[in-house]
Amino acid sequence: MEDQYLVAFLDYVKVELDAFCTASHAADSSQARIRQYKITVGIMLCLSYICKFTPRDKHIVLMGEYFGHVMHVIDAIRAQDAATIVSSTVHRKLSTKLLQRMGLLYLPPKVMTWRYARGVRSLAANLAAAPHPVADASAANDKTSNPFENDVPAELEQVVDVLLCGLKDRDTVVRWSAAKGVGRVTSRLPFEFADDIVHAVLELFSANESDGTGYYYY
């Protein structure tokens, strides 16, 4: 029964998202803001909770049906923001939150061996402890091989791109949500993919990047 209602709701979501993208932009900024809040506060917030509480194996198939619609809505509101029609912190925060949860559904919950593992609290005990060659060899193999190379979909690249752009947003709540998303997604990726994301984050500290005080960049 719950699957029937979920499918019906997702069909409604796709219709509303498509209508938002194809509708002509209202000249009145207040009307544009009302239409935008219907999508963000209503639909995107509901989808984010569905992605959070629905079992991964049940929702990952259905999520692929509306992923493209969500990306089109984000692109449409980017264009509105660029045209200074309406700029909503709520939308940017909820879209970042929704995309990070969708990205986590694409990745199986698996603890990577390359992640930091704390030893004993004593520094002297850590230095005196003998290394474990078997564990070191296992970690090296995980760094050189991709354990689920075929399980990383192409949609994940779009998710990571939006999250990295969210790190340059002018609002702290958006940057905070994007930072959590980058950390959570990276922790489930193989070493090669995670290393690329770390380098991309470090590049944001260059002098050519925006400091977040002006208009945000996507």
Side-chain angles (χ1 to χ4, degrees):
M1 181 64 68
E2 61 180 7
D3 294 338
Q4 178 182 356
Y5 287 111
L6 179 59
V7 172
F9 173 74
L10 294 180
D11 291 338
Y12 161 78
V13 166
K14 290 185 289 186
V15 172
E16 289 294 328
L17 296 182
D18 289 340
F20 176 82
C21 295
T22 57
S24 59
H25 300 305
D28 188 1
S29 60
S30 61
Q31 296 181 8
R33 185 176 296 274
I34 292 174
R35 189 171 63 247
Q36 179 178 345
Y37 278 2
K38 178 182 178 181
I39 297 296
T40 57
V41 182
I43 293 179
M44 283 193 169
L45 184 60
C46 186
L47 288 177
S48 64
Y49 281 115
I50 291 176
C51 293
K52 181 178 181 179
F53 295 107
T54 305
R56 175 180 179 271
D57 55 350
K58 178 183 296 186
H59 190 63
I60 189 172
V61 178
L62 297 175
M63 184 180 63
E65 299 180 0
Y66 66 84
F67 178 84
H69 300 271
V70 173
M71 295 302 301
H72 290 160
V73 168
I74 293 177
D75 293 337
I77 301 187
R78 284 181 190 174
Q80 290 184 1
D81 290 340
T84 65
I85 297 177
V86 59
S87 180
S88 172
T89 303
V90 176
H91 163 260
R92 300 198 303 275
K93 177 185 177 181
L94 289 179
S95 61
T96 303
K97 182 184 296 293
L98 174 59
L99 283 180
Q100 70 160 288
R101 291 179 178 175
M102 294 174 69
L104 291 176
L105 288 178
Y106 279 119
L107 299 172
K110 180 178 180 180
V111 179
M112 296 298 171
T113 56
W114 58 263
R115 294 175 58 183
Y116 171 75
R118 190 184 68 180
V120 294
R121 293 182 178 273
S122 174
L123 178 60
N126 273 328
L127 295 176
H132 299 281
V134 177
D136 294 341
S138 176
N141 291 334
D142 287 342
K143 290 183 179 181
T144 56
S145 62
N146 191 342
F148 47 90
E149 181 178 0
N150 297 328
D151 294 336
V152 180
E155 291 82 358
L156 194 63
E157 182 178 354
Q158 303 179 51
V159 172
V160 173
D161 180 65
V162 174
L163 294 179
L164 291 176
C165 292
L167 296 177
K168 299 182 289 185
D169 196 277
R170 66 170 178 265
D171 292 318
T172 303
V173 291
V174 181
R175 296 195 302 269
W176 178 256
S177 181
K180 291 191 295 184
V182 170
R184 290 168 179 171
V185 172
T186 305
S187 64
R188 295 189 183 184
L189 288 173
F191 179 79
E192 291 80 4
F193 292 94
D195 187 62
D196 292 338
I197 295 179
V198 171
H199 283 291
V201 172
L202 293 178
E203 290 178 357
L204 298 179
F205 293 94
S206 63
N208 295 329
E209 295 291 343
S210 172
D211 58 356
T213 58
Y215 190 79
Y216 72 94
Y217 295 91
Y218 269 117

